[in-house]
Amino acid sequence: MPALNEGLTIYEVLKSVPKTIQGFSHIELLVINDGSTDNTEQESLKAEATVINHNCNKGVGNAFQTAVNYSLKVNADILVSIDSDGQFDINQIEEMILPIIRKEGDFCIGNRFNDSKPEKMPKIKYWGNRQISRIVSFVGNTKIQDASCGFRAYSRDCLLSLNLQGGFTYTHETILDLIDKGYRVIQVPVSVKYFEERISRIANNLFKYAINTSLIIFKCLKDYKPLQFFLFIALFVLGLAFFMGGFVLIHWISTGIITPYKSLGIIALSLSGMSLLLITLAFVADMLNRIRNNQEKILYLIKKDYFEKD
């Protein structure tokens, strides 16, 4: 559970976690205290949870990476991430991990929108989440219904493979990273409660949230599909060049002169050269992406050896 000033709710949420789950010999409660200034740490310890403190607020993305590293160190088979404010139904943890146990999927993400918009969820937030899910679905070539849900479960193999760059949030990047590496995703319908008086820690400013998450998705698209990414830009620039150049050409055929559109013709030629450079960059980026994929495989083996050497 990532937590930032959740002292009022975290104890009850932690105490409601099932003490036993079939197929598991041990369940550990882990709280990443992300720079809280209230009694979050004390309440978590009172509930017999392991607490890892960040000395300042580093963001839920960094909190998740801290949890991943700890889970690998203690040889956890499955990591379940869930919010610490009581929004989600703790009893659905077993539903979340069941597909992984049955080998039906490698990681599971909650779907809050299985029955359309949840009760009391702001319409603008619902709309924003749906748009982000569409973008993630497009980038990942997989239909994702709720890309922003924080209720999830990951197999150990997924945790070993994850290499995240974003600190603001992790929800979208983990999906794209794992899907790109061939892991199977299962979407589990989950119930959620929204409290009117509560302000979201992540999306309290929808404009800022949209900018930050869009940047993460933009970077993922650049990293995971560089050929398509740069070719699209190149073709767009080339299209502009043809449009401007075609206009000047038609004017020249009609009048025999290019005045007063000489500058437009020069811009069209410049854009044509720029598009050729972008096409070259696209193939270079595709070559670098193959190197990145090999490095990811090497890093996976190094992490596997490091965390499982005992």
Side-chain angles (χ1 to χ4, degrees), residues 202 222 297:
I202 305 298
K222 171 181 63 69
K297 293 173 184 176

Side-chain angles (χ1 to χ4, degrees), residues 28 54 65 67 78 105 113 117 125 132 146 179 186 201 207 209 211 237 241 256 268 270 277 281 285 288:
E28 182 172 358
H54 287 173
Q65 292 185 63
I78 293 178
F113 310 137
K117 185 176 81 69
K125 187 175 182 180
I132 288 174
D146 186 4
I179 287 177
I186 300 293
R201 309 288 189 192
F207 179 76
Y209 176 76
I211 293 295
V237 173
S270 300
L277 287 175
L281 181 60
L288 292 175

Side-chain angles (χ1 to χ4, degrees), residues 15-53:
K15 294 301 288 185
S16 64
V17 174
K19 301 299 183 291
T20 59
I21 295 178
Q22 186 176 2
F24 291 86
S25 59
H26 178 67
I27 297 172
E28 182 172 358
L29 304 177
L30 174 65
V31 174
I32 308 301
N33 182 26
D34 193 29
S36 297
T37 55
D38 65 354
N39 62 339
T40 295
E41 180 184 5
Q42 292 77 12
E43 290 295 299
S44 301
L45 292 171
K46 190 167 71 172
E48 301 180 331
T50 299
V51 180
I52 299 178
N53 293 305

Side-chain angles (χ1 to χ4, degrees), residues 88-308:
F88 294 107
D89 183 1
I90 290 289
N91 294 314
Q92 288 192 279
I93 288 178
E94 292 195 54
E95 295 177 41
M96 189 65 66
I97 64 178
L98 195 59
I100 299 176
I101 296 172
R102 292 177 174 174
K103 307 295 184 183
E104 297 170 352
D106 302 299
F107 69 108
C108 301
I109 59 177
N111 176 19
R112 296 167 292 175
F113 310 137
N114 193 57
D115 297 320
S116 70
K117 185 176 81 69
E119 185 180 358
K120 295 184 179 180
M121 184 181 192
K123 291 182 179 179
I124 184 66
K125 187 175 182 180
Y126 174 72
W127 179 85
N129 273 275
R130 298 298 285 174
Q131 302 315 306
I132 288 174
S133 295
R134 288 190 177 97
I135 295 171
V136 172
S137 299
F138 170 76
V139 176
N141 289 325
T142 304
K143 177 64 176 176
I144 302 295
Q145 294 178 297
D146 186 4
S148 304
C149 183
F151 190 6
R152 302 182 173 194
Y154 304 86
S155 67
R156 181 172 179 80
D157 205 50
C158 285
L159 299 180
L160 286 166
S161 292
L162 276 173
N163 294 301
L164 307 179
Q165 305 299 321
F168 175 72
T169 185
Y170 67 94
T171 51
H172 316 113
E173 192 179 359
T174 50
I175 295 173
L176 295 172
D177 187 54
L178 292 174
I179 287 177
D180 181 67
K181 292 170 181 172
Y183 288 99
R184 300 165 298 165
V185 59
I186 300 293
Q187 302 178 66
V188 180
V190 294
S191 58
V192 62
K193 294 183 293 185
Y194 282 92
F195 311 109
E196 294 180 352
E197 70 281 1
R198 178 176 172 80
I199 299 175
S200 173
R201 309 288 189 192
I202 305 298
N204 56 337
N205 185 317
L206 287 176
F207 179 76
K208 181 180 177 182
Y209 176 76
I211 293 295
N212 283 322
T213 53
S214 296
L215 284 174
I216 292 172
I217 295 170
F218 177 84
K219 289 177 182 177
C220 288
L221 179 59
K222 171 181 63 69
D223 291 341
Y224 300 141
K225 294 186 176 181
L227 183 65
Q228 298 92 320
F229 178 82
F230 287 106
L231 277 181
F232 174 80
I233 298 175
L235 291 175
F236 178 77
V237 173
L238 188 61
L240 285 177
F242 278 143
F243 177 76
M244 293 180 182
F247 178 80
V248 175
L249 180 63
I250 292 172
H251 179 75
W252 176 76
I253 293 173
S254 302
T255 63
I257 58 173
I258 61 173
T259 306
Y261 302 114
K262 184 177 181 179
S263 59
L264 203 62
I266 294 173
I267 292 173
L269 288 173
S270 300
L271 290 175
S272 297
M274 187 183 298
S275 67
L276 290 175
L277 287 175
L278 285 168
I279 291 172
T280 303
L281 181 60
F283 287 104
V284 172
D286 185 58
M287 177 183 66
L288 292 175
N289 186 50
R290 296 182 186 185
I291 296 173
R292 181 189 68 82
N293 287 332
N294 286 330
Q295 290 178 325
E296 291 267 11
K297 293 173 184 176
I298 294 169
L299 184 58
Y300 168 83
L301 294 173
I302 292 173
K303 288 166 70 176
K304 189 177 178 67
D305 180 66
Y306 175 79
F307 286 113
E308 298 180 356

